[in-house]
Amino acid sequence: KAKKVWDSVTKARTEMRDPGLYRWPPHANLLYPFLETQSNTNDTTFDEKMADSLQKAVEQCNPFQVSLETFGTFGGKSRG
């Protein structure tokens, strides 16, 4: 079943000319990054605190199933 899903998502991404097709495997963004990390500094305290907070929140969620009715992309005009 996983291979069928992988193939379906890859086909959709190919048809939509997803520029990240060869960079990232099939995936769905459940939460788009909304805050830049502090990777340009040597102080990783903020990033670690943010990661810890997100980890604690995720641990409170039970596994769930997702059904997709449509595919889409986000980004510049050329991406749809």
Side-chain angles (χ1 to χ4, degrees):
K1 185 173 180 173
K3 172 123 173 66
K4 183 178 177 182
V5 172
W6 182 288
D7 291 344
S8 296
V9 173
T10 299
K11 181 180 179 207
R13 292 175 72 197
T14 301
E15 291 172 359
M16 291 186 292
R17 289 174 264 146
D18 181 357
L21 180 66
Y22 298 105
R23 185 172 182 180
W24 298 291
H27 66 282
N29 292 338
L30 299 180
L31 178 64
Y32 189 72
F34 55 91
L35 187 62
E36 286 190 39
T37 63
Q38 306 296 313
S39 59
N40 59 346
T41 68
N42 291 330
D43 181 16
T44 60
T45 304
F46 179 78
D47 293 343
E48 290 169 1
K49 285 181 180 178
M50 182 172 53
D52 288 343
S53 294
L54 290 172
Q55 180 66 37
K56 288 176 185 173
V58 168
E59 288 172 354
Q60 301 301 311
C61 298
N62 291 320
F64 57 91
Q65 291 185 348
V66 174
S67 296
L68 302 176
E69 294 180 9
T70 62
F71 287 96
T73 62
F74 53 90
K77 292 180 184 178
S78 64
R79 294 199 56 203

